[in-house]
PDB file of all heavy atoms in Angstrom:
ATOM      1  N   GLN A   1      45.489 -74.524  17.339  1.00 97.00           N
ATOM      2  CA  GLN A   1      45.366 -75.799  16.664  1.00 97.00           C
ATOM      3  C   GLN A   1      45.910 -75.638  15.249  1.00 97.00           C
ATOM      4  O   GLN A   1      45.335 -74.922  14.431  1.00 97.00           O
ATOM      5  CB  GLN A   1      43.918 -76.280  16.628  1.00 97.00           C
ATOM      6  CG  GLN A   1      43.763 -77.680  16.070  1.00 97.00           C
ATOM      7  CD  GLN A   1      42.390 -78.258  16.332  1.00 97.00           C
ATOM      8  OE1 GLN A   1      41.430 -77.527  16.551  1.00 97.00           O
ATOM      9  NE2 GLN A   1      42.293 -79.576  16.317  1.00 97.00           N
ATOM     10  N   ALA A   2      47.029 -76.299  14.998  1.00 96.00           N
ATOM     11  CA  ALA A   2      47.651 -76.284  13.681  1.00 96.00           C
ATOM     12  C   ALA A   2      46.995 -77.333  12.799  1.00 96.00           C
ATOM     13  O   ALA A   2      46.370 -78.281  13.293  1.00 96.00           O
ATOM     14  CB  ALA A   2      49.147 -76.544  13.802  1.00 96.00           C
ATOM     15  N   PRO A   3      47.135 -77.195  11.479  1.00 89.00           N
ATOM     16  CA  PRO A   3      46.532 -78.183  10.581  1.00 89.00           C
ATOM     17  C   PRO A   3      46.994 -79.592  10.904  1.00 89.00           C
ATOM     18  O   PRO A   3      48.192 -79.861  11.005  1.00 89.00           O
ATOM     19  CB  PRO A   3      47.026 -77.740   9.203  1.00 89.00           C
ATOM     20  CG  PRO A   3      47.265 -76.272   9.342  1.00 89.00           C
ATOM     21  CD  PRO A   3      47.787 -76.098  10.742  1.00 89.00           C
ATOM     22  N   GLY A   4      46.045 -80.487  11.083  1.00 93.00           N
ATOM     23  CA  GLY A   4      46.348 -81.874  11.362  1.00 93.00           C
ATOM     24  C   GLY A   4      46.892 -82.156  12.749  1.00 93.00           C
ATOM     25  O   GLY A   4      47.349 -83.280  13.000  1.00 93.00           O
ATOM     26  N   LYS A   5      46.846 -81.180  13.639  1.00 95.00           N
ATOM     27  CA  LYS A   5      47.409 -81.339  14.976  1.00 95.00           C
ATOM     28  C   LYS A   5      46.340 -81.181  16.052  1.00 95.00           C
ATOM     29  O   LYS A   5      45.247 -80.690  15.804  1.00 95.00           O
ATOM     30  CB  LYS A   5      48.525 -80.311  15.211  1.00 95.00           C
ATOM     31  CG  LYS A   5      49.675 -80.382  14.229  1.00 95.00           C
ATOM     32  CD  LYS A   5      50.467 -81.654  14.397  1.00 95.00           C
ATOM     33  CE  LYS A   5      51.692 -81.648  13.501  1.00 95.00           C
ATOM     34  NZ  LYS A   5      52.487 -82.886  13.669  1.00 95.00           N
ATOM     35  N   GLU A   6      46.692 -81.595  17.258  1.00 95.00           N
ATOM     36  CA  GLU A   6      45.822 -81.412  18.408  1.00 95.00           C
ATOM     37  C   GLU A   6      45.878 -79.963  18.874  1.00 95.00           C
ATOM     38  O   GLU A   6      46.838 -79.238  18.600  1.00 95.00           O
ATOM     39  CB  GLU A   6      46.245 -82.331  19.554  1.00 95.00           C
ATOM     40  CG  GLU A   6      46.226 -83.808  19.234  1.00 95.00           C
ATOM     41  CD  GLU A   6      44.846 -84.410  19.332  1.00 95.00           C
ATOM     42  OE1 GLU A   6      43.894 -83.684  19.664  1.00 95.00           O
ATOM     43  OE2 GLU A   6      44.706 -85.611  19.076  1.00 95.00           O
ATOM     44  N   ARG A   7      44.849 -79.544  19.597  1.00 95.00           N
ATOM     45  CA  ARG A   7      44.845 -78.219  20.197  1.00 95.00           C
ATOM     46  C   ARG A   7      45.817 -78.169  21.361  1.00 95.00           C
ATOM     47  O   ARG A   7      45.804 -79.046  22.232  1.00 95.00           O
ATOM     48  CB  ARG A   7      43.436 -77.859  20.670  1.00 95.00           C
ATOM     49  CG  ARG A   7      43.311 -76.429  21.184  1.00 95.00           C
ATOM     50  CD  ARG A   7      41.961 -76.192  21.816  1.00 95.00           C
ATOM     51  NE  ARG A   7      41.806 -76.959  23.046  1.00 95.00           N
ATOM     52  CZ  ARG A   7      40.684 -77.035  23.743  1.00 95.00           C
ATOM     53  NH1 ARG A   7      39.599 -76.403  23.315  1.00 95.00           N
ATOM     54  NH2 ARG A   7      40.638 -77.750  24.857  1.00 95.00           N
ATOM     55  N   ASP A   8      46.661 -77.166  21.394  1.00 95.00           N
ATOM     56  CA  ASP A   8      47.678 -77.030  22.424  1.00 95.00           C
ATOM     57  C   ASP A   8      47.548 -75.694  23.144  1.00 95.00           C
ATOM     58  O   ASP A   8      47.186 -74.688  22.543  1.00 95.00           O
ATOM     59  CB  ASP A   8      49.080 -77.114  21.828  1.00 95.00           C
ATOM     60  CG  ASP A   8      49.399 -78.465  21.245  1.00 95.00           C
ATOM     61  OD1 ASP A   8      49.026 -79.480  21.857  1.00 95.00           O
ATOM     62  OD2 ASP A   8      50.037 -78.508  20.175  1.00 95.00           O
ATOM     63  N   GLY A   9      47.883 -75.697  24.421  1.00 97.00           N
ATOM     64  CA  GLY A   9      47.954 -74.456  25.169  1.00 97.00           C
ATOM     65  C   GLY A   9      49.181 -73.667  24.763  1.00 97.00           C
ATOM     66  O   GLY A   9      50.270 -74.222  24.629  1.00 97.00           O
ATOM     67  N   VAL A  10      49.018 -72.379  24.576  1.00 98.00           N
ATOM     68  CA  VAL A  10      50.106 -71.491  24.180  1.00 98.00           C
ATOM     69  C   VAL A  10      50.571 -70.638  25.346  1.00 98.00           C
ATOM     70  O   VAL A  10      51.764 -70.603  25.680  1.00 98.00           O
ATOM     71  CB  VAL A  10      49.683 -70.591  23.010  1.00 98.00           C
ATOM     72  CG1 VAL A  10      50.801 -69.621  22.642  1.00 98.00           C
ATOM     73  CG2 VAL A  10      49.278 -71.432  21.806  1.00 98.00           C
ATOM     74  N   SER A  11      49.650 -69.939  25.965  1.00 98.00           N
ATOM     75  CA  SER A  11      49.969 -69.053  27.070  1.00 98.00           C
ATOM     76  C   SER A  11      48.729 -68.842  27.920  1.00 98.00           C
ATOM     77  O   SER A  11      47.622 -68.773  27.391  1.00 98.00           O
ATOM     78  CB  SER A  11      50.488 -67.712  26.547  1.00 98.00           C
ATOM     79  OG  SER A  11      50.833 -66.848  27.608  1.00 98.00           O
ATOM     80  N   CYS A  12      48.935 -68.720  29.223  1.00 97.00           N
ATOM     81  CA  CYS A  12      47.826 -68.531  30.151  1.00 97.00           C
ATOM     82  C   CYS A  12      48.199 -67.526  31.224  1.00 97.00           C
ATOM     83  O   CYS A  12      49.374 -67.320  31.526  1.00 97.00           O
ATOM     84  CB  CYS A  12      47.437 -69.845  30.834  1.00 97.00           C
ATOM     85  SG  CYS A  12      47.001 -71.193  29.720  1.00 97.00           S
ATOM     86  N   MET A  13      47.190 -66.937  31.816  1.00 96.00           N
ATOM     87  CA  MET A  13      47.370 -66.055  32.957  1.00 96.00           C
ATOM     88  C   MET A  13      46.257 -66.324  33.956  1.00 96.00           C
ATOM     89  O   MET A  13      45.081 -66.305  33.606  1.00 96.00           O
ATOM     90  CB  MET A  13      47.357 -64.587  32.531  1.00 96.00           C
ATOM     91  CG  MET A  13      47.521 -63.620  33.702  1.00 96.00           C
ATOM     92  SD  MET A  13      47.467 -61.880  33.205  1.00 96.00           S
ATOM     93  CE  MET A  13      49.065 -61.734  32.386  1.00 96.00           C
ATOM     94  N   SER A  14      46.626 -66.560  35.213  1.00 95.00           N
ATOM     95  CA  SER A  14      45.651 -66.774  36.262  1.00 95.00           C
ATOM     96  C   SER A  14      45.037 -65.440  36.683  1.00 95.00           C
ATOM     97  O   SER A  14      45.488 -64.363  36.287  1.00 95.00           O
ATOM     98  CB  SER A  14      46.300 -67.454  37.461  1.00 95.00           C
ATOM     99  OG  SER A  14      47.217 -66.576  38.099  1.00 95.00           O
ATOM    100  N   SER A  15      44.005 -65.527  37.513  1.00 91.00           N
ATOM    101  CA  SER A  15      43.344 -64.308  37.974  1.00 91.00           C
ATOM    102  C   SER A  15      44.266 -63.438  38.820  1.00 91.00           C
ATOM    103  O   SER A  15      44.036 -62.231  38.925  1.00 91.00           O
ATOM    104  CB  SER A  15      42.078 -64.655  38.761  1.00 91.00           C
ATOM    105  OG  SER A  15      42.376 -65.442  39.896  1.00 91.00           O
ATOM    106  N   ASP A  16      45.312 -64.029  39.421  1.00 92.00           N
ATOM    107  CA  ASP A  16      46.257 -63.251  40.217  1.00 92.00           C
ATOM    108  C   ASP A  16      47.488 -62.815  39.424  1.00 92.00           C
ATOM    109  O   ASP A  16      48.414 -62.231  39.989  1.00 92.00           O
ATOM    110  CB  ASP A  16      46.678 -64.005  41.476  1.00 92.00           C
ATOM    111  CG  ASP A  16      47.520 -65.239  41.200  1.00 92.00           C
ATOM    112  OD1 ASP A  16      47.824 -65.520  40.024  1.00 92.00           O
ATOM    113  OD2 ASP A  16      47.882 -65.932  42.171  1.00 92.00           O
ATOM    114  N   GLY A  17      47.527 -63.111  38.121  1.00 93.00           N
ATOM    115  CA  GLY A  17      48.594 -62.630  37.270  1.00 93.00           C
ATOM    116  C   GLY A  17      49.716 -63.595  36.977  1.00 93.00           C
ATOM    117  O   GLY A  17      50.645 -63.243  36.230  1.00 93.00           O
ATOM    118  N   SER A  18      49.683 -64.797  37.532  1.00 95.00           N
ATOM    119  CA  SER A  18      50.695 -65.793  37.196  1.00 95.00           C
ATOM    120  C   SER A  18      50.564 -66.186  35.738  1.00 95.00           C
ATOM    121  O   SER A  18      49.454 -66.264  35.207  1.00 95.00           O
ATOM    122  CB  SER A  18      50.555 -67.026  38.080  1.00 95.00           C
ATOM    123  OG  SER A  18      50.740 -66.699  39.441  1.00 95.00           O
ATOM    124  N   THR A  19      51.685 -66.458  35.081  1.00 97.00           N
ATOM    125  CA  THR A  19      51.659 -66.748  33.651  1.00 97.00           C
ATOM    126  C   THR A  19      52.300 -68.084  33.331  1.00 97.00           C
ATOM    127  O   THR A  19      53.123 -68.611  34.080  1.00 97.00           O
ATOM    128  CB  THR A  19      52.364 -65.657  32.835  1.00 97.00           C
ATOM    129  OG1 THR A  19      53.720 -65.525  33.290  1.00 97.00           O
ATOM    130  CG2 THR A  19      51.645 -64.331  32.979  1.00 97.00           C
ATOM    131  N   TYR A  20      51.906 -68.611  32.199  1.00 97.00           N
ATOM    132  CA  TYR A  20      52.454 -69.838  31.644  1.00 97.00           C
ATOM    133  C   TYR A  20      52.681 -69.619  30.156  1.00 97.00           C
ATOM    134  O   TYR A  20      51.865 -68.987  29.477  1.00 97.00           O
ATOM    135  CB  TYR A  20      51.486 -71.009  31.846  1.00 97.00           C
ATOM    136  CG  TYR A  20      51.693 -72.139  30.861  1.00 97.00           C
ATOM    137  CD1 TYR A  20      52.666 -73.107  31.080  1.00 97.00           C
ATOM    138  CD2 TYR A  20      50.933 -72.222  29.700  1.00 97.00           C
ATOM    139  CE1 TYR A  20      52.871 -74.133  30.176  1.00 97.00           C
ATOM    140  CE2 TYR A  20      51.131 -73.239  28.784  1.00 97.00           C
ATOM    141  CZ  TYR A  20      52.104 -74.195  29.033  1.00 97.00           C
ATOM    142  OH  TYR A  20      52.301 -75.206  28.122  1.00 97.00           O
ATOM    143  N   TYR A  21      53.806 -70.154  29.659  1.00 98.00           N
ATOM    144  CA  TYR A  21      54.079 -70.177  28.235  1.00 98.00           C
ATOM    145  C   TYR A  21      54.593 -71.554  27.857  1.00 98.00           C
ATOM    146  O   TYR A  21      55.469 -72.098  28.539  1.00 98.00           O
ATOM    147  CB  TYR A  21      55.125 -69.139  27.832  1.00 98.00           C
ATOM    148  CG  TYR A  21      54.705 -67.716  28.083  1.00 98.00           C
ATOM    149  CD1 TYR A  21      55.030 -67.068  29.274  1.00 98.00           C
ATOM    150  CD2 TYR A  21      53.977 -67.009  27.135  1.00 98.00           C
ATOM    151  CE1 TYR A  21      54.640 -65.767  29.512  1.00 98.00           C
ATOM    152  CE2 TYR A  21      53.584 -65.711  27.359  1.00 98.00           C
ATOM    153  CZ  TYR A  21      53.919 -65.090  28.550  1.00 98.00           C
ATOM    154  OH  TYR A  21      53.528 -63.789  28.781  1.00 98.00           O
ATOM    155  N   THR A  22      54.078 -72.092  26.786  1.00 98.00           N
ATOM    156  CA  THR A  22      54.632 -73.336  26.289  1.00 98.00           C
ATOM    157  C   THR A  22      56.053 -73.076  25.793  1.00 98.00           C
ATOM    158  O   THR A  22      56.381 -71.969  25.348  1.00 98.00           O
ATOM    159  CB  THR A  22      53.738 -73.932  25.185  1.00 98.00           C
ATOM    160  OG1 THR A  22      54.159 -75.261  24.886  1.00 98.00           O
ATOM    161  CG2 THR A  22      53.788 -73.095  23.921  1.00 98.00           C
ATOM    162  N   ASP A  23      56.911 -74.081  25.896  1.00 98.00           N
ATOM    163  CA  ASP A  23      58.329 -73.887  25.619  1.00 98.00           C
ATOM    164  C   ASP A  23      58.594 -73.317  24.224  1.00 98.00           C
ATOM    165  O   ASP A  23      59.521 -72.524  24.036  1.00 98.00           O
ATOM    166  CB  ASP A  23      59.095 -75.204  25.778  1.00 98.00           C
ATOM    167  CG  ASP A  23      59.273 -75.610  27.223  1.00 98.00           C
ATOM    168  OD1 ASP A  23      59.071 -74.766  28.114  1.00 98.00           O
ATOM    169  OD2 ASP A  23      59.629 -76.782  27.459  1.00 98.00           O
ATOM    170  N   SER A  24      57.801 -73.706  23.258  1.00 98.00           N
ATOM    171  CA  SER A  24      58.059 -73.301  21.888  1.00 98.00           C
ATOM    172  C   SER A  24      57.828 -71.812  21.634  1.00 98.00           C
ATOM    173  O   SER A  24      58.297 -71.282  20.622  1.00 98.00           O
ATOM    174  CB  SER A  24      57.207 -74.122  20.915  1.00 98.00           C
ATOM    175  OG  SER A  24      55.830 -73.903  21.133  1.00 98.00           O
ATOM    176  N   VAL A  25      57.119 -71.128  22.532  1.00 98.00           N
ATOM    177  CA  VAL A  25      56.847 -69.704  22.336  1.00 98.00           C
ATOM    178  C   VAL A  25      57.491 -68.830  23.395  1.00 98.00           C
ATOM    179  O   VAL A  25      57.451 -67.593  23.278  1.00 98.00           O
ATOM    180  CB  VAL A  25      55.332 -69.402  22.279  1.00 98.00           C
ATOM    181  CG1 VAL A  25      54.638 -70.328  21.296  1.00 98.00           C
ATOM    182  CG2 VAL A  25      54.696 -69.502  23.662  1.00 98.00           C
ATOM    183  N   LYS A  26      58.095 -69.428  24.396  1.00 98.00           N
ATOM    184  CA  LYS A  26      58.674 -68.659  25.489  1.00 98.00           C
ATOM    185  C   LYS A  26      59.757 -67.722  24.965  1.00 98.00           C
ATOM    186  O   LYS A  26      60.635 -68.126  24.207  1.00 98.00           O
ATOM    187  CB  LYS A  26      59.245 -69.593  26.554  1.00 98.00           C
ATOM    188  CG  LYS A  26      59.571 -68.897  27.860  1.00 98.00           C
ATOM    189  CD  LYS A  26      59.899 -69.896  28.959  1.00 98.00           C
ATOM    190  CE  LYS A  26      60.105 -69.199  30.293  1.00 98.00           C
ATOM    191  NZ  LYS A  26      60.378 -70.175  31.375  1.00 98.00           N
TER     192      LYS A  26
END
């Protein structure tokens, strides 16, 4: 959560190891 901004997902990993990255950090 950046100043004055909404909370955003950055990166995630499922229990089986699948991953997600938001475009801005990929």
Side-chain angles (χ1 to χ4, degrees):
Q1 187 167 22
K5 301 292 186 179
E6 301 279 359
R7 186 188 67 186
D8 294 319
V10 177
S11 181
C12 303
M13 179 181 287
S14 68
S15 60
D16 68 2
S18 299
T19 58
Y20 157 83
Y21 297 93
T22 191
D23 286 345
S24 62
V25 310
K26 193 170 185 178

